[in-house]
Amino acid sequence: AHAKPQISAAISGQAREQYLRSRERSYAVAEWVNAHVPVSARILSDGEVRFFYFKPVLVREYVWRIFSPYPYELESPKLLAMYLKERGFTHVLIAEDLKAAPPSPRPEHRAVLKDLAKDPESFKLLYENGFDSGNEKVQYRLYAILPAGEEGK
């Protein structure tokens, strides 16, 4: 029973890509990133931990925060954009788990990063899409970090 979906996919001749898009939450966003973002990009990933199908380097925000903590007092999107750019990041990927319990009420990383990434003067939304398998429901947003003076370009 555990391998039933895989067996039915193999027997039906379902294409690998079609199967992965329907079963692996990160596959569709990885396909888009691989087609539209340079392999040399460095992406700060908040909420996505499955990096197997991505060609550019992704760094988990949680791990980055532990080893190179960025200050939470960066209230301005421009300051956050500058801070991340100075450290080699080109993009921010946010994967919001829509079925998870609400985050703790701490005013820390997740809420701050999501709010800052909505500023079009510092972050440009490149991709937005959802994944819903019934068991998992995730909303993806990929932002380019804009250099100062390049709002919305």
Side-chain angles (χ1 to χ4, degrees):
H2 178 70
K4 188 176 179 181
Q6 292 85 346
I7 292 170
S8 65
I11 292 171
S12 72
Q14 185 179 27
R16 174 183 180 269
E17 289 79 13
Q18 183 182 358
Y19 175 79
L20 287 169
R21 274 187 222 106
S22 68
R23 300 285 178 175
E24 170 48 45
R25 74 183 212 176
S26 68
Y27 190 75
V29 67
E31 271 188 316
W32 193 93
V33 166
N34 295 342
H36 297 94
V37 174
V39 139
S40 60
R42 188 166 182 221
I43 303 171
L44 183 67
S45 173
D46 181 35
E48 183 53 66
V49 296
R50 301 172 183 181
F51 297 167
F52 184 75
Y53 296 103
F54 290 89
K55 291 179 183 173
V57 170
L58 273 76
V59 176
R60 284 184 68 187
E61 189 279 339
Y62 175 74
V63 174
W64 173 256
R65 187 167 22 98
I66 289 172
F67 292 104
S68 304
Y70 55 87
Y72 294 128
E73 64 269 11
L74 288 176
E75 295 174 7
S76 160
K78 289 182 198 258
L79 291 176
L80 180 63
M82 288 173 24
Y83 181 87
L84 292 174
K85 275 282 192 196
E86 288 170 359
R87 283 147 184 86
F89 289 101
T90 57
H91 297 79
V92 175
L93 175 65
I94 296 174
E96 184 178 1
D97 186 343
L98 301 176
K99 285 198 167 188
S104 65
R106 297 176 301 165
E108 297 174 356
H109 69 291
R110 289 187 182 270
V112 172
L113 189 61
K114 287 177 186 172
D115 287 344
L116 293 177
K118 292 177 183 175
D119 182 334
E121 292 184 7
S122 303
F123 298 88
K124 180 181 180 183
L125 181 64
L126 299 178
Y127 174 89
E128 184 171 20
N129 199 8
F131 174 83
D132 188 351
S133 69
N135 295 327
E136 292 182 286
K137 189 171 184 176
V138 181
Q139 182 68 32
Y140 287 98
R141 290 177 193 85
L142 178 72
Y143 297 88
I145 303 171
L146 298 175
E150 291 193 24
E151 295 84 8
K153 290 184 182 176

